[in-house]
Amino acid sequence: KMPLRDKRGKVNGVIGISRDITKHKRAQRSLQESEQRYRQLVDLAPDAVLVHRQGKILFANPMARDMRGAAGSQSLLGLQVIDMVHADSRTFVKEHIQGGVSDEQPNPTHEVRLRCLDGWEITVETRVMPIRYEGEPAVLVILRDITERHLTQQNRRRLATVVEQSAESIFIIDTDGVIRYV
């Protein structure tokens, strides 16, 4: 708004300019709702989700905290990704952090061993993709704990070795009474 004045400087009117911002307000509300749904999705995801820039953690969802054994997702912020990585996987992870992620597509899945704060070691599958976080390039990392799968595979291999090397007759009876010789 601006006053209209006559030759003597007396205000005799007002000039006003207005703009309809209804569409802008709707778009803003829709964006806020979308961000809220996205945050809920990430917070409730069964996989750990991290965002890092040059190896420094900028974001961690609750599952990342739980997987690491940290007190809260905020406690991971500012840490270096490499500090979570088991010695067996450090070279691989360092190369990927230094090399960055160049594609717009997720990188292939890789297995990495991590160290938890409580001393446990876990094996995770990782998916990595470049994103923009707070307006700057960053890396999105999704981690799925596959420790149980690895243990199951190891136990199956051990059992197969025992069966193959046994001089005894080994058979399995299923719940229907069917006998299978191994």
Side-chain angles (χ1 to χ4, degrees), residues 93-131:
V93 171
K94 279 181 184 177
E95 288 172 1
H96 275 73
I97 290 173
Q98 290 169 351
V101 182
S102 57
D103 301 346
E104 291 296 320
Q105 300 297 319
N107 284 358
T109 302
H110 295 284
E111 289 185 10
V112 174
R113 288 181 60 200
L114 299 181
R115 292 180 306 132
C116 298
L117 293 174
D118 59 9
W120 284 94
E121 296 172 3
I122 61 173
T123 303
V124 296
E125 283 181 340
T126 63
R127 292 295 303 243
V128 179
M129 182 172 176
I131 62 168

Side-chain angles (χ1 to χ4, degrees), residues 47-66:
D47 295 327
V49 178
L50 295 174
V51 174
H52 75 82
R53 185 173 297 120
Q54 297 174 343
K56 183 178 179 181
I57 298 173
L58 306 173
F59 170 84
N61 74 342
M63 184 55 79
R65 171 202 65 217
D66 294 346

Side-chain angles (χ1 to χ4, degrees), residues 61-62 64-76 79 117-118:
N61 74 342
R65 171 202 65 217
D66 294 346
M67 187 180 286
R68 176 80 164 123
S73 57
Q74 296 296 321
S75 67
L76 296 176
L79 295 179
L117 293 174
D118 59 9

Side-chain angles (χ1 to χ4, degrees), residues 72-85:
S73 57
Q74 296 296 321
S75 67
L76 296 176
L77 302 184
L79 295 179
Q80 293 294 316
V81 171
I82 201 68
D83 293 338
M84 297 172 53
V85 179

Side-chain angles (χ1 to χ4, degrees), residues 90-173:
R90 282 187 174 216
T91 302
F92 172 78
V93 171
K94 279 181 184 177
E95 288 172 1
H96 275 73
I97 290 173
Q98 290 169 351
V101 182
S102 57
D103 301 346
E104 291 296 320
Q105 300 297 319
N107 284 358
T109 302
H110 295 284
E111 289 185 10
V112 174
R113 288 181 60 200
L114 299 181
R115 292 180 306 132
C116 298
L117 293 174
D118 59 9
W120 284 94
E121 296 172 3
I122 61 173
T123 303
V124 296
E125 283 181 340
T126 63
R127 292 295 303 243
V128 179
M129 182 172 176
I131 62 168
R132 293 197 70 74
Y133 185 79
E134 296 177 343
E136 295 184 37
V139 178
L140 171 71
V141 182
I142 300 174
L143 307 160
R144 176 169 290 163
D145 187 347
I146 59 170
T147 306
E148 290 296 321
R149 183 189 326 163
H150 268 245
L151 292 173
T152 301
Q153 290 170 348
Q154 287 174 355
N155 289 338
R156 284 184 180 162
R157 285 192 295 269
R158 286 181 190 141
L159 179 59
T161 301
V162 168
V163 168
E164 289 170 5
Q165 295 177 354
S166 175
E168 305 296 323
S169 174
I170 299 176
F171 59 93
I172 299 171
I173 301 175

